[in-house]
Amino acid sequence: MAILVDEPRWPKHGTTWAHLVSDASLDELHAFARRAGLPERGFDRDHYDVPAERIDELVALGAEAVPGRELVRRLLASGLRVRPRDR
């Protein structure tokens, strides 16, 4: 079980954004997000959107920094991925 964060690549609201996911359960993801003080409104069905300036803090709290492709691969393998067409 791991919390994963990819590289920030999506610009919006004056920053770039990354994804924070769990490769095991949404309960694990929500618990980590609460510990990190992430707002609930940042959750989007299978991930939290997180601003670039929070990445180092999330890694210090235990998130594993991974490339975007690995994050998606592991999210798919977990069965937690919500595909865009299913949103």
Side-chain angles (χ1 to χ4, degrees):
M1 295 192 288
I3 299 294
L4 311 170
V5 64
D6 63 2
E7 65 277 358
R9 295 178 32 190
W10 296 269
K12 194 165 188 172
H13 304 296
T15 190
T16 53
W17 297 80
H19 297 122
L20 183 77
V21 306
S22 169
D23 68 355
S25 78
L26 291 179
D27 289 339
E28 177 186 47
L29 177 60
H30 291 305
F32 184 90
R34 280 191 300 276
R35 283 195 315 276
L38 297 176
E40 289 181 21
R41 71 180 179 275
F43 181 68
D44 186 13
R45 300 189 186 185
D46 60 5
H47 70 278
Y48 280 85
D49 292 317
V50 294
E53 58 269 14
R54 300 281 315 263
I55 302 296
D56 290 342
E57 174 190 351
L58 297 172
V59 170
L61 288 171
E64 179 184 345
V66 297
R69 284 185 173 200
E70 182 175 345
L71 182 139
V72 171
R73 181 185 62 75
R74 290 172 65 179
L75 187 59
L76 282 167
S78 74
L80 297 173
R81 174 74 168 133
V82 177
R83 295 177 188 268
R85 69 176 176 255
D86 297 329
R87 291 183 185 268

